[in-house]
Amino acid sequence: GQRVEYPDDNWFSQILNGQVGIILSIDGTVLFDIFLSLVDFAVYDEKKKLLTGQLRKYPEKLIIYCKDLRVFNFCLRYTKEEEVKRIVSGIIHHSQTPKLLKRLFLFSYASAAPNNTDGRNQTVMFDTLEDWRDELERTKGNVQYKAVSTNEGYKVSEKLPLYFVVPICVSEESILKYEGRGIPIWCWSCHNGAALLKMSAFPKEQDDSTSQMQKAFLDGIYRTIRKPPYELLKTDDLSSSLPSLQEIQTAYTRFKQLFLIDNSTDFWATDVKWFSLLESTNWLEIIRRVLKKAIEVVECLERQHTNVLLIEETATDLCCVISSLVQVMMDSYSRTKLGFQSLIQKEWVIGGHGFLDRCNHLHKSDKEEAPVFLLLLNCVWQLVQQYPSAFEFTETYLTVLSDSLYVPIFSTFFFNSQHQKDTTTTGEILKTQSSPFRFLTVWDWSVQFDLKAQAFLNNPLYAEKPKPEKSQRKTARFKHQRQLSLPLTQTKSSPKRGFFREETDHLIKNILGKRIGKFINSSDEPPNSFREFYDSWHSKPVDYHGLLLPRIDGPEIKVWAQRYLRWIPEAQLHGGGTIATAAKILDLMEEVQNLQVKMDEEHSQAVSGDTHAVPMLRNSARLSSLFPFALLQRQSIKPALPTSTWKDLEDEDDLVKRDDEFVDLSDML
């Protein structure tokens, strides 16, 4: 949302290596940079024509719209023609032209990445068999499920990870039969033994003989697995019960247009009809439907003690969204910073979500593009803003995580699968005979931010789980460590019908890809069981370390203001919003900490250093409601939290440490 116009030809510096980004500098001082992978599209001149490769004359005005919703206005009137040509051709080539994977800057950076990163990343990467076994042990799922290495060398499927978890009675031959299709793959186990699983469906278009063979195969799986210790299982074909990827992409494209505003006139023009425009995008309704589906799955797992099998064509898109949300709602570990990062690794990165295609990093096919991971972050944000004390991380953490999707120095979100990463890396090393690539993980936040900036990612008001007394620890071992706040509701005990239902033929049709309806309801369940479960839970006090159900009625689903409005000064409240409340609370926390220090000094006790740094926000009346990203005026270009990874372009002093021309940051930090 910054308007930047300079009358000389020194304002535009260079495009690093022709493939990284645009750097704006004046007299050698870097003001901001734009990764070319962040450029969504660009328009030129007063009529805002789309910038393409066919231009009759070079523009005098250029507007760049970024995927993180920043908008930059550039005046090229006084710039030399050869400079304009280089700028325009560079933007077109690197933001629109299809490219090869190995041509991404990711590989150039990985071949010369610095070896001075934090190194204290404790996120579980799930790239070893031991990681999966530890997760089974943590969730008490190792009685019914096993971690397998059948796919070592990718001999089963290139889409599956090297290691994953299946029911104990599933044989290796069954896994190999159809490249992993038709096999229930474990995601997570509930404290009562019920499990969440996923399965990739067989292709819809099959000849009769192939369909019969697949049906016989599924029949064999049912017979093998249809006995204790497994109980009743419910299936959900997500392709029929949730919006399609095309619908999600269309809704988000309309939604983000509301925030790509480059001047005050456009802002006030849309403000008049804001709510009708917002509703017409259907984005918030999609978020509501996804959260409702996750609550339905939670009800099956928690109240009905029923296993749930999520079915999707590849089980790497909406399956990832629902399985992640269920774990965030039910498992307090997934609401910690390390736990959430490990969850993303397990369900998305190792789970095979196609980040390369869904984010369209190579600009090859718009048909494959869909903001599936961003949809998850929007859903998690709803929970964070409704129950902030239940999460160790903040909405700022979610915002910078969404920005990191397009930062081309991390490998986390730039591959479609583990196989693609492994084979591409090995092939390039053998071809060039270079040293091994050093891919950086986005979970090492020290690469992007210094310690002061990282403090904004941690929630100082997080209600940490109290450690049990020594006398209670022994008994606690026989119970699940999470204490659910779910009201004690009488439910009918489920008859033992095996792992799958008796309606075998119906489930086979479902798994074969024939959409036969939405969630399968048990005949002995009342039709309003979801509403009863939802209302009953919300009538009781919240246990921040137990089950969390989001409020999804009416206006409870909100716009993620920090992410979508942070670059629009007209949408900010100076000295208002949640930042004003947080400032007062943090002042009280600082006072309490100072008193604790004095008490410890008097008693000659060491002060505990095991607490997160608290960003003190004094003079909150001078802060924006969208701090730390917000710009206090449209011309200001120095937010408190840096928006790029290029800390080494200048001195070690980060943007967090510099004085802003409108706000004295030294008073804030």
Side-chain angles (χ1 to χ4, degrees), residues 315-355:
T316 57
D317 289 304
L318 295 175
C319 276
C320 298
V321 176
I322 299 302
S323 63
S324 299
L325 283 176
V326 168
Q327 292 174 64
V328 169
M329 292 180 191
M330 299 189 72
D331 190 347
S332 61
Y333 174 67
S334 295
R335 301 195 286 267
T336 65
K337 197 165 148 188
L338 283 177
F340 186 72
Q341 292 174 176
S342 299
L343 173 65
I344 300 304
Q345 276 292 135
K346 178 178 70 171
E347 299 294 338
W348 294 79
V349 181
I350 298 300
H353 177 66
F355 284 104

Side-chain angles (χ1 to χ4, degrees), residues 24-149:
L24 176 61
S25 64
I26 300 178
D27 296 331
T29 302
V30 175
L31 299 179
F32 63 77
D33 55 85
I34 312 168
F35 283 116
L36 288 174
S37 58
L38 263 177
V39 175
D40 197 357
F41 62 95
V43 299
Y44 65 95
D45 292 342
E46 296 301 326
K47 294 183 179 180
K48 294 187 177 180
K49 300 177 182 178
L50 186 66
L51 188 67
T52 62
Q54 298 178 351
L55 296 177
R56 294 183 179 179
K57 67 174 184 177
Y58 289 103
E60 294 185 353
K61 179 181 179 181
L62 185 65
I63 305 177
I64 297 178
Y65 296 88
C66 298
K67 294 176 182 177
D68 63 357
L69 306 181
R70 284 185 293 170
V71 181
F72 296 93
N73 288 260
F74 297 110
C75 176
L76 306 177
R77 186 177 305 150
Y78 305 103
T79 306
K80 295 178 181 179
E81 185 174 329
E82 58 269 20
E83 280 292 298
V84 176
K85 180 179 179 180
R86 187 170 65 88
I87 293 166
V88 170
S89 61
I91 292 174
I92 292 173
H93 178 71
H94 295 293
S95 65
Q96 298 178 16
T97 307
K99 54 177 66 68
L100 297 174
L101 175 60
K102 63 182 179 180
R103 295 298 182 187
L104 290 178
F105 179 69
L106 172 71
F107 289 91
S108 300
Y109 192 86
S111 63
N115 197 23
N116 56 353
T117 55
D118 195 323
R120 291 180 292 177
N121 174 39
Q122 298 176 347
T123 302
V124 181
M125 306 304 283
F126 288 96
D127 53 0
T128 67
L129 196 61
E130 193 62 32
D131 287 345
W132 288 99
R133 288 171 176 167
D134 290 343
E135 181 70 357
L136 279 172
E137 179 69 25
R138 186 186 72 83
T139 60
K140 316 301 180 193
N142 48 357
V143 175
Q144 301 168 322
Y145 302 91
K146 63 182 179 180
V148 296
S149 57

Side-chain angles (χ1 to χ4, degrees), residues 5-19:
E5 296 186 9
Y6 295 101
D8 56 60
D9 57 1
N10 292 324
W11 65 271
F12 202 95
S13 174
Q14 60 179 343
I15 299 177
L16 289 180
N17 296 331
Q19 56 182 339

Side-chain angles (χ1 to χ4, degrees), residues 432-446:
T432 61
Q433 296 183 347
S434 60
S435 57
F437 291 115
R438 189 176 186 278
F439 287 118
L440 300 183
T441 173
V442 73
W443 311 127
D444 186 354
W445 294 106
S446 66

